[in-house]
Amino acid sequence: MRVVLVDDHRMFRTGVQAEIGQTEQTGVEVVGEAADVDQAVSVITATRPEVVLLDVHLPGGGGVEVLRRCAPLMADAEQPVRFLALSVSDAAEDVIGVIRGGARGYVTKTITGTDLVDSIFRVQEGDAVFSPRLAGFVLDAFASTDAPPVDEDLDRLTQREREVLRLIARGYAYKEIAKQLFISVKTVESHVSAVLRKLQLSNRHELTRWATARRLV
């Protein structure tokens, strides 16, 4: 099984490679890596893997942009490229966005190496694969004929700022957020400051109330 890893954190890609890339044991061969949208499209087009492990939040437009630009490869009847989202985010909007974009599944980065290998093979065979509870987001979204309401305040935030917002609202400390998102504490502080400024809030308590009211937690 030929696989491409797309994630903007090199250390995470190295860890995944170590977990699944022992071809004799796993049956998986990692044939390429990419850290942003342009690199991803280039590597995927050049290698034509069976499955792409795709992070949702990437420089250059995110996983949804990779899916949009790789749509012809997904539609190839003879050698389709399948996409499996692999992300730290378990937000409904992220899950629904990449599934609408054409991904065959969505698993979070808490998944074990063994389960990830199993998910890769299932996606290649055409199955839909989701981490527990995420499938419900998709079922609810596709069962509803109503378009989701537009939240102009939320739309002001970048995808990374939304991630930080959600974790802050869940009560995570800055150090915990930094560890989970593979960024520095200083970067977390910068994102929090940006969120507070954009939403015109004063502190994390107001931020938590704001997120809870919108059911983002």
Side-chain angles (χ1 to χ4, degrees):
M1 182 73 65
R2 300 169 69 254
V3 172
V4 164
L5 304 178
V6 181
D7 193 287
D8 60 339
H9 296 102
R10 182 181 58 80
M11 290 182 63
F12 179 75
R13 296 198 309 272
T14 300
V16 173
Q17 167 78 285
E19 283 283 338
I20 72 173
Q22 305 300 317
T23 307
E24 292 184 1
Q25 286 77 37
T26 65
V28 172
E29 179 187 7
V30 178
V31 297
E33 298 183 16
D36 59 36
V37 169
D38 288 340
Q39 287 180 13
V41 174
S42 177
V43 170
I44 294 165
T45 302
T47 60
R48 296 296 292 264
E50 280 82 22
V51 175
V52 177
L53 292 179
L54 180 68
D55 193 10
V56 175
H57 301 140
L58 294 167
V64 171
E65 178 64 11
V66 175
L67 292 164
R68 185 187 70 79
R69 291 168 59 179
C70 290
L73 300 180
M74 288 189 282
D76 188 324
E78 295 185 0
Q79 190 183 352
V81 177
R82 311 283 193 188
F83 285 81
L84 173 62
L86 175 62
S87 177
V88 69
S89 171
D90 61 359
E93 62 265 30
D94 289 335
V95 178
I96 294 165
V98 295
I99 298 303
R100 288 192 187 280
R104 295 292 305 173
Y106 194 117
V107 294
T108 59
K109 291 181 178 179
T110 56
I111 193 170
T112 65
T114 300
D115 286 343
L116 181 56
V117 170
D118 179 65
S119 297
I120 290 169
F121 277 90
R122 288 175 59 194
V123 163
Q124 191 276 333
E125 292 168 359
D127 289 347
V129 180
F130 297 93
S131 289
R133 97 182 184 87
L134 301 187
F137 297 153
V138 180
L139 291 173
D140 291 345
F142 286 89
S144 173
T145 57
D146 299 328
V150 176
D151 190 324
E152 294 183 358
D153 289 333
L154 189 61
D155 285 346
R156 294 192 185 101
L157 306 182
T158 66
Q159 289 181 321
R160 180 63 86 190
E161 287 168 353
R162 293 185 193 191
E163 281 186 320
V164 172
L165 162 65
R166 190 173 292 105
L167 292 173
I168 284 287
R170 289 176 178 175
Y172 283 74
Y174 285 4
K175 287 184 178 179
E176 294 173 321
I177 296 172
K179 182 177 181 180
Q180 185 159 342
L181 298 183
F182 299 95
I183 57 179
S184 69
V185 173
K186 187 173 182 180
T187 300
V188 174
E189 293 172 348
S190 296
H191 285 314
V192 172
S193 295
V195 170
L196 292 174
R197 182 180 69 254
K198 290 179 180 181
L199 300 181
Q200 298 182 346
L201 301 174
S202 301
N203 53 56
R204 64 182 297 164
H205 300 294
E206 290 184 2
L207 187 152
T208 299
R209 287 197 297 270
W210 188 92
T212 302
R214 285 162 174 77
R215 303 176 70 180
L216 299 176
V217 181

